[in-house]
Amino acid sequence: MLRWVRQQLGFDPPHQSDTRTIYIANRFPQHGHYVPQKFADNRIISSKYTVWNFVPKNLFEQFRRVANFYFLIIFLVQLMIDTPTSPITSGLPLFFVITVTAIKQGYEDWLRHKADNEVNGAPVYVVRSGGLVKTRSKNIRVGDIVRVAKDETFPVDLVLLSSDRVDGSCHVTTASLDGETNLKTHVAVPETAVLQSVANLDKLVAVIECQQPEADLYRFVGRITVSQQAEEIVRPLGPESLLLRGARLKNTKEIFGVAVYTGMETKMALNYKSKSQKRSAVEKSMNSFLIIYLIILLFEAILSTILKYAWQAEEKWDEPWYNEKTEHERNSSKILRFISDFLAFLVLYNFIIPISLYVTVEMQKFLGSFFIGWDLDLYHEETNQRAQVNTSDLNEELGQVEYVFTDKTGTLTENEMQFRECSINGIKYQEVNGKLTPEGFSEDSPDGNRHGLVKEEELFLKAVCLCHTVQINADQTDGADGPWHANGITSPLEYYASSPDEKALVEAASRVGVVFTGISGDSMEVKSLGKPERYKLLHVLEFDPNRRRMSVIVESPSGEKLLFTKGAESSILPRSKSGEIDKTRIHVDEFALKGLRTLCVAYRRFTPEEYQEVGKRLQEARTALQQREERLADVFNFIERDLELLGATGVEDKLQEKVQETIEALRLAGIKVWVLTGDKHETAVSVSLSCGHFHRTMNILELVQHKSDSTCAEQLRQLAKRIKEDHVIQHGLVVDGTSLSLALREHEKLFMEVCKNCSAVLCCRMAPLQKAKVVRLLKTSPEKPITLAIGDGANDVSMIQEAHVGIGIMGKEGRQAVRNSDYAIARFKFLSKLLFVHGHFYYIRIATLVQYFFYKNVCFITPQFLYQFFCLFSQQTLYDSVYLTLYNICFTSLPVLIYSLFEQHVHPHVLQSKPVLYRDISKNAHLGFKPFLYWTVLGFFHAFVFFYGSYLLMGEDTSLLGNGQILKPNRQMMFGNWTFGTLVFTVMVITVTMKMALETHFWTWINHFVTWGSIVFYFIFSLFYGGIIWPFLHTQDMYFVFVQLLSSGSAWFAIILIVVACLFIDVVKKVLYRHLQPTSTEKAQLTEAGSGINCLDSMCCFSDGETACTSVRRMLERLMGRCSPTRVNRCGISLNSLCCRRFSYKLEPDEPAAIDV
């Protein structure tokens, strides 16, 4: 009663219990105390904002950034107290940054709203009041019976009730959820499968109890209670009964299902929620620099305030005749005056913090990420797939990778399985011309050309054809004769499977005479040497990574109950009690040494009593709502025992193209490669040797098959000792899943020490969560290395999300890895260009961008600080407020943005052919304390030269103004603080722009345009701003100041002299360092210059008659390092429009690449 009251008052949340109860067609109990559970509606909401909360929510998110919040405080201080600069100087840049970001985010959210409205407004059919009612998707409620037709997507998560087929089955493709294009079969419980009409369904009285919503696509626990003739029948519900929103109905005319999860509680919506935010090392460095500059700002403000009061200790400076205090000022508190002055100085110097840095960095990352997708070298022609960027925030992190964790199957290999060998009853067989031939016999030998199959061979092949999840194209199973024509000639069957291993095995069996012809109802049909047999499918014991096996229980045509099991040898052999166990184990090891993937096959016969016990236990476990997985695991272990071993299979998975070269290049770049795989020890080692992960000369250490902490620890200590003794030799480490669990439990530090001293590490028999643990172990070690994880399957998602950078391979194991990754590529070989070229460029660009921003703001505000020593710390501003506002927004913003998008300090081919250059940027080398200190000191030095150079040249000699008409008495009027400040500002704009030009190696016409255009724009703007009386300005201190300054030849001389003086030392430093202590990159630049790879093939040297668009296209091709005649012509674009006609340089894939160490 109390709970009912709480629910009525709204205190009880709708999901308080672990399960939900759903009354089909919303036929609730009639007793008075029943309170319906509250469920979400079926609206999908991917947008962040509404019309009402956009402004407050967006502002809150933006002001969580330190720089934005800081400038808001400064703006409020300017409004509240009398400060030397106008509130506009802080408010306008802040408003600009906030507005631009809000417009971008608002537009993106509007697109999300638009997409949501299309989905939520889609028409659907629901069974209500005995008929089909057309409504909108958003109106579906939990408990509604929904009809879905062929090729339509499911609008909610449905439990299948019936289909147009008698057995209540349907076929579904989940490509939009996990990328798997194979057809999956879903089945309804028998009691509802017969209800194929709307009228019958409307009479259905049933209740579904199931778990609350969760994100796991492959897990569903529930049960349905159907009331029939005063009897209640309970049936279990699992993933095979659940149709997921977003999946599509195939090869089935129509289905009816009951909605169990709606809207944002569907598995699709729960899976599409944002991942945890990853932050790059550059962003962390940027925040550290901001804190340092904030300390500098506070120091300058406090020092200025103290010096002001020290100066005013003298009576003549405390209250000069031209600035007498009011009575209120004389009587005000000294503490309040001190705080007021401190805040005023804080406002005066606040531009040392670059507010536009965040916006520029965001634009650079967003626009720069397009180059990865546009790169033809990352395009895979066979599959028509190009590289994909899911997270542009981590572009520069690609240039900082120290560890690569890679999956094996589908990542290093093609994941295209080909049957090679098998072992049956202790005898090894190979497939020769569609026949199983014992090893040592050929087709020509007397025993090699056999007809038919012996009993053991046939039973083994039948086990392979029955124990799987393979499906057949529905078009081939519709006819009465299946795939067999009237003339007896077979048409090739087209198999679909989520596992390439299963498909390869079923295809191999069909080639040698045992053909799986499909599933009809609850029967599996097999043709053995042309003779059809029908096996009734009783139970499927699904595969899971913990058991590492799957099983089926079938009833043979003779009525026998049989269990067929296949799985990893470590999970099958210990459970086998008969068969050629020892011989098979030897054969499995031999297969593994050849690099083949192995599976063992076994079976068990049930007596009627045993099968009755099995059926009872399975029913109890499958109908349990609590701890169903644990109960099922116990039952599966009970069933899958006392097996009779039939044999083992060996399938080959070929290496991808250029895997060996890519791993070698990664090693030369100083990147350590770890292979994490679920394969057995021998298979993994064999593939590691073939792909170059392990060298033949490498000393391979092993940490395998340990069952206790003590033996594992002892082995680790011995390995550490061996590494110290043989420190000259390269070592490789092999560790299996069980030993790894022991090592991570108690001996993590010792294990890490061994791993770090090994050139390559191979972890085999790994569970998905173990992969993530290994990545986390390295990621959180004291050195904090940058990690990259690359994989292609759902079992790689955890490590992809755990690593600093996650890369998905667009392979054959679905798209879960791609969906959860930061970047996606089609082949492992593309990793080298992604890191060595794109990663290198992105890091260099953003490192320079960040430090340049701080440099130019030091140049900007330090003269303001120095000027206070000459104006009695009166807080007089040196620059006009318009200049203060536009310095970062207009005058100096574009050159650094264009640089950060297009800069190439070394030719892309040189970077890819010399992986050792990657070492020059590792460990955040360009954003460390030394580079930061250099840029900061350089900024202060330039600021001193600006200020004191202008002061010495212009401050005491009026002749430098000179046209001979200015009189000495008018000197102060003509050459006042605004003229001096404008001179300093002009020198500063030219110098910081020229500094950016000095840093630029790759010049395009866009660089020329924005670099020189920024300087020209400043001069034109200043002439117009100071040359016209603007009616909307309250005061115009700058009227005619700039014109008068430029009318003096001496002023021009001063500008040129100061700019040269500033940049001369920087140029000398660059020349000396380049010749005395050149880095590998600088040596490569010299080599590049000597070989003729220069700006001749850049955009600045296009021939006459070409349009600007042609030049832009050519520059983009050049930026991605793909000016290749064959590749460009393949895309239907003429070479002349893309590459420089005077020079073209591109190494084709088939040309040899020399790798220099």
Side-chain angles (χ1 to χ4, degrees):
M1 184 66 183
L2 179 62
R3 185 179 176 188
W4 180 80
V5 172
R6 286 175 59 81
Q7 285 179 333
Q8 294 303 306
L9 294 174
F11 292 125
D12 256 4
H15 292 169
Q16 196 171 34
S17 64
D18 294 330
T19 61
R20 56 170 51 188
T21 303
I22 300 159
Y23 292 87
I24 294 179
N26 292 307
R27 289 190 174 87
F28 301 116
Q30 299 304 311
H31 59 76
H33 295 299
Y34 172 74
V35 179
Q37 287 179 287
K38 293 180 181 179
F39 304 115
D41 59 29
N42 198 38
R43 286 180 302 157
I44 286 291
I45 303 171
S46 62
S47 56
K48 288 172 62 178
Y49 309 107
T50 66
V51 175
W52 309 109
N53 71 8
F54 175 73
V55 173
K57 191 173 181 180
N58 187 264
L59 288 177
F60 173 75
E61 288 176 353
Q62 293 206 54
F63 284 121
R64 288 170 66 185
R65 283 185 164 171
V66 176
N68 289 350
F69 183 72
Y70 162 78
F71 270 88
L72 176 65
I73 297 298
I74 293 296
F75 176 64
L76 295 175
V77 168
Q78 285 179 293
L79 290 176
M80 290 188 293
I81 67 170
D82 183 21
T83 56
T85 56
S86 166
I88 294 174
T89 58
S90 295
L92 191 61
L94 180 64
F95 177 77
F96 174 78
V97 168
I98 296 295
T99 303
V100 168
T101 308
I103 290 172
K104 171 179 169 286
Q105 293 178 350
Y107 174 71
E108 290 173 349
D109 206 61
W110 176 75
L111 292 178
R112 286 191 285 265
H113 271 285
K114 192 176 177 183
D116 290 346
N117 291 336
E118 288 181 11
V119 172
N120 295 330
V124 293
Y125 288 91
V126 179
V127 176
R128 285 179 186 163
S129 304
L132 274 180
V133 178
K134 186 177 181 180
T135 183
R136 293 188 176 187
S137 174
K138 64 182 180 182
N139 297 327
I140 297 176
R141 299 168 297 172
V142 171
D144 282 345
I145 299 175
V146 182
R147 191 205 77 170
V148 180
K150 182 180 179 182
D151 291 328
E152 289 182 353
T153 57
F154 301 114
V156 291
D157 287 352
L158 300 165
V159 165
L160 180 61
L161 294 178
S162 66
S163 71
D164 62 321
R165 300 183 182 185
V166 178
D167 60 356
S169 66
C170 70
H171 294 297
V172 169
T173 176
T174 57
S176 62
L177 295 173
D178 56 13
E180 295 181 9
T181 54
N182 60 296
L183 297 179
K184 296 180 173 67
T185 303
H186 291 258
V187 291
V189 298
E191 286 72 24
T192 63
V194 296
L195 307 176
Q196 295 179 305
S197 66
V198 173
N200 289 334
L201 284 166
D202 194 52
K203 299 173 184 175
L204 175 65
V205 178
V207 179
I208 291 176
E209 295 171 90
C210 62
Q211 63 187 152
Q212 295 292 3
E214 65 169 35
D216 191 341
L217 293 174
Y218 309 105
R219 184 174 184 272
F220 177 68
V221 178
R223 65 185 175 203
I224 183 170
T225 305
V226 182
S227 300
Q228 287 184 348
Q229 300 171 351
E231 181 186 1
E232 290 190 345
I233 302 171
V234 180
R235 296 285 185 185
L237 297 175
E240 72 283 350
S241 304
L242 187 68
L243 305 171
L244 300 177
R245 177 174 190 149
R248 190 178 294 272
L249 184 65
K250 289 286 186 182
N251 297 350
T252 310
K253 184 179 177 182
E254 66 175 12
I255 65 97
F256 290 92
V258 58
V260 289
Y261 304 129
T262 51
M264 299 308 293
E265 293 181 342
T266 58
K267 290 183 180 289
M268 182 189 77
L270 293 173
N271 269 277
Y272 283 179
K273 286 184 177 178
S274 59
K275 307 185 291 287
S276 59
Q277 189 69 27
K278 293 181 180 180
R279 293 174 64 214
S280 70
V282 170
E283 189 177 342
K284 294 171 186 173
S285 298
M286 199 164 71
N287 290 338
S288 302
F289 297 161
L290 276 173
I291 292 171
I292 292 172
Y293 270 66
L294 194 59
I295 293 170
I296 293 173
L297 169 66
L298 293 172
F299 171 76
E300 288 184 349
I302 292 170
L303 180 63
S304 298
T305 309
I306 293 171
L307 289 175
K308 175 179 180 177
Y309 281 91
W311 209 298
Q312 288 181 354
E314 296 184 42
E315 192 173 337
K316 64 175 181 177
W317 298 120
D318 183 37
E319 193 174 347
W321 60 271
Y322 56 84
N323 190 20
E324 292 185 1
K325 294 180 181 178
T326 63
E327 194 64 31
H328 175 71
E329 287 175 334
R330 290 194 187 98
N331 297 330
S332 62
S333 167
K334 289 184 178 181
I335 296 175
L336 289 177
R337 272 188 292 165
F338 185 90
I339 294 172
S340 177
D341 284 328
F342 168 74
L343 292 175
F345 280 117
L346 208 62
V347 168
L348 192 63
Y349 304 145
N350 79 85
F351 282 94
I352 198 171
I353 306 295
I355 186 174
S356 54
L357 174 61
Y358 281 112
V359 174
T360 309
V361 167
E362 274 191 10
M363 290 175 66
Q364 188 268 346
K365 288 183 175 183
F366 174 71
L367 297 173
S369 63
F370 286 106
F371 291 119
I372 292 177
W374 290 340
D375 192 344
L376 281 183
D377 284 340
L378 302 182
Y379 168 75
H380 192 241
E381 198 167 7
E382 293 174 19
T383 56
N384 191 30
Q385 290 171 329
R386 60 188 180 92
Q388 167 181 326
V389 179
N390 300 327
T391 308
S392 61
D393 291 341
L394 302 172
N395 292 341
E396 65 277 5
E397 208 81 329
L398 293 170
Q400 294 295 294
V401 175
E402 296 172 61
Y403 283 86
V404 167
F405 298 91
T406 174
D407 178 40
K408 182 183 76 67
T409 306
T411 304
L412 300 179
T413 61
E414 290 284 2
N415 205 10
E416 288 183 359
M417 307 301 173
Q418 293 181 335
F419 176 80
R420 289 288 180 240
E421 297 181 68
C422 65
S423 171
I424 304 174
N425 199 32
I427 303 172
K428 282 169 67 174
Y429 291 81
Q430 292 178 332
E431 183 187 354
V432 179
N433 295 329
K435 295 179 181 178
L436 274 184
T437 305
E439 189 179 48
F441 294 92
S442 66
E443 194 175 3
D444 299 329
S445 62
D447 296 326
N449 192 5
R450 305 175 306 154
H451 296 283
L453 298 166
V454 299
K455 181 183 175 184
E456 292 83 0
E457 295 171 355
E458 187 175 3
L459 183 59
F460 174 85
L461 293 171
K462 283 180 181 178
V464 168
C465 284
L466 293 170
C467 185
H468 56 71
T469 57
V470 175
Q471 294 170 22
I472 299 176
N473 188 341
D475 297 335
Q476 295 180 292
T477 59
D478 287 343
D481 295 329
W484 298 80
H485 293 303
N487 58 8
I489 302 174
T490 63
S491 63
L493 285 167
E494 188 177 359
Y495 293 113
Y496 295 97
S498 55
S499 167
D501 299 73
E502 287 189 336
K503 183 182 177 186
L505 292 175
V506 172
E507 286 175 341
S510 68
R511 289 194 298 269
V512 297
V514 180
V515 184
F516 168 64
T517 57
I519 298 178
S520 176
D522 59 355
S523 297
M524 300 182 76
E525 297 174 358
V526 174
K527 288 194 174 181
S528 178
L529 299 177
K531 178 186 174 184
E533 295 181 8
R534 189 181 291 264
Y535 289 81
K536 185 177 182 181
L537 182 62
L538 301 173
H539 297 285
V540 177
L541 280 56
E542 298 83 0
F543 174 85
D544 69 65
N546 295 320
R547 284 168 45 242
R548 296 181 182 275
R549 59 185 179 272
M550 78 158 289
S551 304
V552 293
I553 301 176
V554 296
E555 183 180 324
S556 68
S558 62
E560 268 190 304
K561 305 293 192 300
L562 303 173
L563 169 80
F564 289 111
T565 302
K566 78 167 187 291
E569 89 291 341
S570 60
S571 66
I572 299 293
L573 295 181
R575 296 180 165 272
S576 301
K577 69 172 185 178
S578 60
E580 297 290 345
I581 297 173
D582 294 332
K583 288 183 179 179
T584 304
R585 181 180 280 111
I586 293 171
H587 291 164
V588 166
D589 291 341
E590 290 175 1
F591 295 163
L593 287 172
K594 295 177 183 178
L596 303 181
R597 292 165 61 87
T598 59
L599 288 172
C600 286
V601 183
Y603 85 113
R604 177 185 175 186
R605 299 177 191 272
F606 290 117
T607 64
E609 295 78 16
E610 286 175 335
Y611 178 72
Q612 190 174 359
E613 175 69 13
V614 164
K616 180 183 175 183
R617 288 197 178 200
L618 275 174
Q619 174 69 7
E620 289 175 354
R622 282 182 165 152
T623 54
L625 284 180
Q626 304 296 331
Q627 298 180 326
R628 180 182 291 186
E629 285 84 357
E630 292 81 354
R631 293 189 186 185
L632 280 174
D634 292 339
V635 175
F636 289 172
N637 285 328
F638 171 75
I639 297 170
E640 296 166 329
R641 60 189 175 89
D642 300 333
L643 302 175
E644 184 174 340
L645 186 64
L646 292 174
T649 62
V651 295
E652 182 185 27
D653 190 4
K654 288 185 177 179
L655 282 177
Q656 288 186 17
E657 184 188 6
K658 293 194 174 180
V659 166
Q660 191 166 356
E661 293 90 332
T662 304
I663 290 178
E664 182 61 28
L666 291 171
R667 187 176 286 116
L668 287 171
I671 298 172
K672 290 190 176 182
V673 180
W674 288 35
V675 176
L676 313 179
T677 177
D679 279 348
K680 75 185 301 287
H681 171 209
E682 291 82 4
T683 305
V685 171
S686 175
V687 173
S688 281
L689 286 167
S690 63
C691 73
H693 179 235
F694 283 167
H695 288 296
R696 298 287 174 185
T697 57
M698 190 178 280
N699 183 22
I700 297 177
L701 311 173
E702 292 189 350
L703 183 68
V704 294
Q705 296 179 346
H706 288 285
K707 305 295 183 185
S708 66
D709 280 338
S710 57
T711 59
C712 183
E714 181 60 31
Q715 179 69 8
L716 277 172
R717 281 189 282 271
Q718 289 181 8
L719 293 179
K721 185 179 178 182
R722 283 184 62 184
I723 290 172
K724 286 180 181 178
E725 291 172 353
D726 303 332
H727 62 277
V728 179
I729 306 172
Q730 282 192 329
H731 299 279
L733 176 68
V734 183
V735 57
D736 62 8
T738 54
S739 302
L740 180 71
S741 298
L742 295 171
L744 296 184
R745 191 184 305 163
E746 298 289 341
H747 317 290
E748 190 175 291
K749 191 174 180 181
L750 185 58
F751 177 69
M752 281 299 303
E753 184 185 340
V754 171
C755 289
K756 286 180 180 178
N757 290 314
C758 291
S759 303
V761 178
L762 169 64
C763 301
C764 53
R765 286 297 185 218
M766 297 280 285
L769 285 178
Q770 282 184 313
K771 292 184 178 184
K773 281 182 181 178
V774 170
V775 175
R776 191 182 308 122
L777 182 67
L778 262 295
K779 182 179 165 185
T780 57
S781 63
E783 293 82 7
K784 297 283 191 295
I786 303 299
T787 58
L788 179 148
I790 179 169
D792 72 317
N795 60 332
D796 302 315
V797 169
S798 54
M799 77 168 180
I800 284 173
Q801 291 183 332
E802 183 63 44
H804 291 94
V805 182
I807 296 183
I809 295 284
M810 303 169 188
K812 297 179 176 61
E813 290 192 18
R815 290 298 178 95
Q816 282 200 40
V818 171
R819 284 197 301 107
N820 288 278
S821 65
D822 304 306
Y823 302 89
I825 52 179
R827 286 293 181 270
F828 183 79
K829 66 178 181 179
F830 295 153
L831 186 63
S832 61
K833 182 160 192 188
L834 192 66
L835 298 185
F836 302 153
V837 179
H838 290 286
H840 200 121
F841 283 156
Y842 286 136
Y843 176 73
I844 290 293
R845 291 166 184 169
I846 202 166
T848 305
L849 180 150
V850 170
Q851 295 182 119
Y852 176 79
F853 253 92
F854 286 107
Y855 153 80
K856 72 186 180 77
N857 278 45
V858 168
C859 291
F860 180 39
I861 221 64
T862 304
Q864 182 76 72
F865 172 69
L866 297 175
Y867 185 59
Q868 297 307 303
F869 288 88
F870 293 84
C871 66
L872 294 180
F873 294 93
S874 60
Q875 298 153 10
Q876 169 64 40
T877 178
L878 178 62
Y879 314 120
D880 182 71
S881 60
V882 172
Y883 286 163
L884 282 170
T885 305
L886 298 183
Y887 175 75
N888 277 317
I889 295 177
C890 297
F891 299 146
T892 60
S893 58
L894 278 179
V896 67
L897 177 61
I898 296 302
Y899 169 93
S900 67
L901 290 174
F902 296 150
E903 171 63 3
Q904 291 184 27
H905 61 305
V906 182
H907 194 278
H909 162 64
V910 176
L911 287 176
Q912 195 164 3
S913 62
K914 294 187 176 182
V916 71
L917 299 181
Y918 194 82
R919 296 172 183 255
D920 283 354
I921 62 169
S922 62
K923 299 187 184 297
N924 207 11
H926 289 254
L927 265 179
F929 183 72
K930 283 186 178 179
F932 168 70
L933 186 62
Y934 165 73
W935 279 92
T936 302
V937 171
L938 185 68
F940 280 113
F941 168 72
H942 284 181
F944 273 80
V945 176
F946 299 156
F947 184 83
Y948 286 108
S950 301
Y951 178 75
L952 293 173
L953 289 173
M954 304 293 286
E956 297 297 333
D957 189 359
T958 54
S959 65
L960 284 174
L961 276 176
N963 52 17
Q965 299 176 352
I966 301 173
L967 301 176
K968 189 82 171 179
N970 293 331
R971 188 181 68 148
Q972 293 299 324
M973 178 187 72
M974 300 302 295
F975 185 73
N977 66 302
W978 297 121
T979 310
F980 177 69
T982 303
L983 175 63
V984 173
F985 193 83
T986 303
V987 170
M988 178 173 55
V989 169
I990 296 172
T991 304
V992 298
T993 305
M994 291 295 293
K995 172 62 179 169
M996 190 76 264
L998 281 177
E999 295 298 317
T1000 303
H1001 294 86
F1002 180 67
W1003 282 91
T1004 68
W1005 69 263
I1006 296 182
N1007 292 81
H1008 284 293
F1009 178 76
V1010 298
T1011 301
W1012 316 121
S1014 293
I1015 297 173
V1016 171
F1017 172 75
Y1018 164 69
F1019 277 89
I1020 294 173
F1021 174 83
S1022 297
L1023 286 171
F1024 272 90
Y1025 173 58
I1028 301 173
I1029 297 177
W1030 301 97
F1032 53 82
L1033 292 178
H1034 179 63
T1035 60
Q1036 197 159 345
D1037 297 323
M1038 293 296 294
Y1039 179 67
F1040 223 64
V1041 169
F1042 197 72
V1043 176
Q1044 181 189 15
L1045 184 67
L1046 295 188
S1047 66
S1048 167
S1050 303
W1052 283 103
F1053 172 75
I1055 291 170
I1056 294 170
L1057 187 64
I1058 295 170
V1059 170
V1060 171
C1062 285
L1063 298 177
F1064 178 74
I1065 293 179
D1066 197 41
V1067 172
V1068 170
K1069 179 255 180 190
K1070 283 180 177 291
V1071 171
L1072 289 176
Y1073 267 81
R1074 187 174 288 266
H1075 285 83
L1076 298 177
Q1077 292 182 333
T1079 62
S1080 301
T1081 304
E1082 288 167 345
K1083 290 176 184 176
Q1085 289 171 341
L1086 292 172
T1087 307
E1088 177 185 326
S1091 64
I1093 305 173
N1094 51 35
C1095 73
L1096 286 175
D1097 60 337
S1098 75
M1099 192 168 156
C1100 58
C1101 49
F1102 58 90
S1103 57
D1104 296 336
E1106 291 183 346
T1107 64
C1109 291
T1110 304
S1111 307
V1112 170
R1113 278 203 310 274
R1114 183 177 55 256
M1115 183 197 65
L1116 292 177
E1117 301 293 330
R1118 168 68 176 83
L1119 283 168
M1120 293 174 282
R1122 53 182 170 92
C1123 281
S1124 159
T1126 56
R1127 290 194 178 153
V1128 173
N1129 289 338
R1130 191 171 65 225
C1131 297
I1133 307 170
S1134 68
L1135 177 65
N1136 289 337
S1137 69
L1138 284 176
C1139 296
C1140 180
R1141 294 176 182 175
R1142 295 170 61 189
F1143 183 83
S1144 175
Y1145 183 85
K1146 178 75 179 73
L1147 186 75
E1148 282 301 303
D1150 54 351
E1151 292 181 50
I1155 300 178
D1156 299 336
V1157 182

